[in-house]
């Protein structure tokens, strides 16, 4: 039995989601290899080789992988799939696009967003926005899986000494051309791996008011998120969205400000360790899942909380 | 240009689902069903491309039991031209559905297939990607913008770090994210008109697609419930609790 974990990186660093995915792979059992594909990605490959539990790192350093193009990455996975019983990637937009594509190339039914490994062919995954948990068993000889990163701890990084093997590229598609990206620059921790997340909803009224939440997040060393309603209203960019179809987060502290608590939002944050909500509607459904609720006008509560935290 | 839009019938997004007592799935008897919200966005985008003059025909596809016809009619009521229903009571997995869509897309000569990125029941987020792979057509996943041009389609994708712009060749497969558009409601006259629009019926067998399942659902359980906690009165109480009780700051 052997698992190939597909490394996710941002062209300079290995992303923590890769470490969560390695933990899931270790739970499956057998050898764990990591595939790093990119251009000038030797530093990322070095980082991957130090992950505990990983015995080999396959590196495809090529201009083909200068950008993340699903078709090119999937073809590379298919070319190596004969050596593995499992292929796993984080359930990020990267992995969610990639794994089903690669699985179809290999004529395999992919398994999405697993939250637990029962045994090497049985997994638990949330369905219906996390309102039910399905235990599923795959009869495919090759299992291709995306991993809900918040459900698995980060693998230790630093002591591992995996061997690094350079691998050949396969033909690249010419029917998909990279044009550009518009990324949201942020000095704050990445939303899906932050220890503290401060999220705003429709109650924030506009984008400018999110500055209050940014200050709170900075004081707490956290990231800023948002409900779908706040993103749809244009208050903040799409990459802030926490929920069933956005990002799934499970920080130590989730602070929901002006968020009513729609099912699809709860799906993205209800596994947080401690949930706090500030809302002026005492009937808001968010209060059914909070550890600490504060029924107050957020425009009074947030500055008061900021002042209280700054007292320290 | 001909556009094919596969749609799925799911439990209405506003219904709170219940796990069945025998743990074989969730309760669907006497539960309100509707078109999957991401599929509605896909239908809307196809209609907008047609209204702009970029497309001549919009075909709605659905695979599933007799009742799936209602979902196809919902797409026709929004303004699509005709439907294709693959009638089957079998449990369908994304790979099998992708192969059925391929058969119809090839038969119809569809230049663009627009799918919702995910259905809100199984939350798989797979069919569009699998379709692109089995058809060997360029994929645009999670799009928030699409424009037809001479080289194919200019698309914008919603990715975890922000937005990404790609140029993909035609014919192509794209999947819709939330910000692509806001779907229209069907007007009463259009609902009446939809009843007379043609819907072709076929079966997986006629398409030569095997629907045996690769994934067995062993059990479906309720997630562990979160207990509602306490209400605090002010900032100092909240900070005190977070520090000394929850120990998270």
């Amino acid at each position: 039995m052997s698992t190939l974990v597909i490394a996710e990186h941002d062209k300079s660093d290995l992303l923590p989601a890769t470490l969560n995915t390695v933990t899931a792979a270790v739970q499956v059992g057998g050898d764990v290899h990591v595939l790093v594909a990119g251009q000038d990605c030797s530093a990322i490959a070095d980082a991957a080789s130090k992950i505990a539990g990983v015995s080999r790192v396959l590196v495809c350093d090529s201009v083909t992988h200068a950008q993340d193009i699903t078709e090119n990455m999937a073809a590379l996975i298919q070319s190596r799939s004969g050596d593995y019983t499992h292929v796993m990637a984080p359930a990020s937009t990267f992995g969610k696009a990639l794994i089903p594509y690669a699985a179809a190339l290999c004529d395999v039914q992919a398994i999405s967003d697993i939250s637990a490994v029962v045994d090497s062919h049985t997994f638990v995954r949330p369905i219906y926005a996390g309102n039910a948990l399905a235990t599923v068993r795959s009869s495919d000889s090759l299992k291709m899986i995306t991993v809900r990163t918040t459900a698995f701890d980060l693998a230790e990084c630093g002591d591992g000494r995996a061997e690094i093997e350079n691998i050949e590229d396969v033909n690249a598609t010419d029917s998909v051309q990279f044009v550009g990206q518009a990324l949201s620059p942020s000095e704050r921790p990445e939303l899906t791996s932050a220890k503290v997340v401060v999220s705003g909803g429709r109650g924030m009224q506009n984008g400018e008011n999110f500055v209050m939440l940014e200050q709170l997040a900075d004081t707490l060393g956290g990231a800023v998120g948002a409900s779908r309603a706040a993103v749809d209203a244009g208050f903040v960019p799409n990459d802030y969205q926490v929920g069933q179809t956005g990002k799934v987060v499970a920080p130590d502290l989730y602070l929901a400000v002006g968020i009513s608590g729609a099912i699809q939002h709860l799906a993205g944050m209800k596994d947080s360790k401690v949930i706090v909500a500030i809302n002026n509607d005492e009937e808001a459904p968010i209060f059914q899942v909070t550890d600490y609720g504060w029924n107050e006008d957020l425009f009074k509560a947030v500055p008061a909380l900021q002042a209280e935290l700054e007292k320290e | 240009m001909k556009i094919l839009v596969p749609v799925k019938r799911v439990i209405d997004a506003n219904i709170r689902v219940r796990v069945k007592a025998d743990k074989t799935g969730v309760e669907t008897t006497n539960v309100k069903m509707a078109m999957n919200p991401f599929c509605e966005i896909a239908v809307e985008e196809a209609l907008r491309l047609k209204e702009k003059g970029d497309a001549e025909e919009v075909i709605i596809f659905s695979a599933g039991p007799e009742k799936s016809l209602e979902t196809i009619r919902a797409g026709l009521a929004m303004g699509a031209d005709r439907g294709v229903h693959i009638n089957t009571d079998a449990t369908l997995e994304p790979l099998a559905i992708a192969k059925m869509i391929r058969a119809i897309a090839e038969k119809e000569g569809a230049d663009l297939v627009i799918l919702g990125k995910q259905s809100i029941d199984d939350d798989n987020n797979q069919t569009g990607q699998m379709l692109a792979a089995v058809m060997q057509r360029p994929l645009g996943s999670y799009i928030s913008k699409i424009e037809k041009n001479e080289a194919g389609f200019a698309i914008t994708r919603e990715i975890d770090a922000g937005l990404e712009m790609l140029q993909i060749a035609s014919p192509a497969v794209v999947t819709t994210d939330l910000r692509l558009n806001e779907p229209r409601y069907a007007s009463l006259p259009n609902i009446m008109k939809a009843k007379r629009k043609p819907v072709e019926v076929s079966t997986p067998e006629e398409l030569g697609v095997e629907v045996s399942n690769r994934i067995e659902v062993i059990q479906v359980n309720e997630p562990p419930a979160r207990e509602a906690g306490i209400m605090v009165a002010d900032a100092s109480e909240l900070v005190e609790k977070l520090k000394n009780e929850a120990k998270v700051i």
Side-chain angles (χ1 to χ4, degrees), chain A residues 21-269:
Chain A
T21 308
V22 166
T23 297
V26 168
Q27 289 181 15
V28 165
D31 286 341
V32 178
H33 297 176
V34 173
L35 171 62
V36 177
Q39 188 179 26
D40 302 327
C41 57
S42 59
I44 298 164
D46 273 350
S49 73
K50 296 191 172 82
I51 306 172
V54 175
S55 60
R56 185 183 291 242
V57 176
L58 309 182
V59 185
C60 184
D61 198 327
S62 159
V63 65
T64 302
H65 299 289
Q67 302 297 339
D68 163 38
I69 302 291
T70 300
E71 282 84 347
N72 295 340
M73 193 68 184
L76 185 62
I77 293 171
Q78 186 193 19
S79 75
R80 290 278 147 177
S81 62
D83 299 338
Y84 297 95
T85 55
H86 296 69
V87 174
M88 292 176 139
S92 53
T93 49
F94 162 75
K96 286 192 283 195
L98 175 63
I99 289 293
Y101 192 103
L105 289 183
C106 301
D107 198 40
V108 163
Q109 176 52 56
I111 307 163
S112 296
D113 205 20
I114 65 162
S115 57
V117 174
V118 178
D119 60 41
S120 62
H121 47 258
T122 315
F123 310 91
V124 178
R125 56 178 304 267
I127 54 174
Y128 290 94
N131 287 305
L133 296 173
T135 304
V136 297
R137 185 187 291 137
S138 163
S139 59
D140 279 317
S141 54
L142 170 65
K143 277 107 176 128
M144 299 187 101
I145 295 167
T146 57
V147 174
R148 175 166 287 213
T149 52
T150 55
F152 297 90
D153 291 336
L154 294 167
E156 298 277 337
C157 205
D159 289 343
R161 277 178 203 190
E163 55 178 303
I164 295 180
E165 178 193 343
N166 287 295
I167 64 168
E168 289 293 314
D169 202 357
V170 293
N171 289 342
T173 180
D174 56 5
S175 60
V176 178
Q177 302 292 337
F178 177 82
V179 177
Q181 286 183 331
L183 307 183
S184 310
S186 176
E187 298 298 308
R188 297 185 188 91
E190 203 268 317
L191 189 53
T192 56
S193 52
K195 295 275 178 221
V196 174
V197 173
V198 181
S199 281
R202 200 196 304 271
M204 295 305 297
Q205 294 181 2
N206 59 48
E208 289 76 56
N209 288 333
F210 265 76
V211 172
M212 291 195 303
L213 304 189
E214 288 165 6
Q215 286 170 352
L216 207 50
D218 290 342
T219 304
L220 294 165
V224 179
S227 70
R228 176 187 167 182
V231 179
D232 283 355
F235 299 171
V236 285
N238 63 285
D239 46 292
Y240 280 51
Q241 189 186 322
V242 171
Q244 178 184 15
T245 65
K247 289 177 182 170
V248 176
V249 303
D252 290 343
L253 172 60
Y254 188 86
L255 180 52
V257 182
I259 293 177
S260 63
I263 293 172
Q264 62 85 16
H265 183 74
L266 301 183
M269 47 62 84

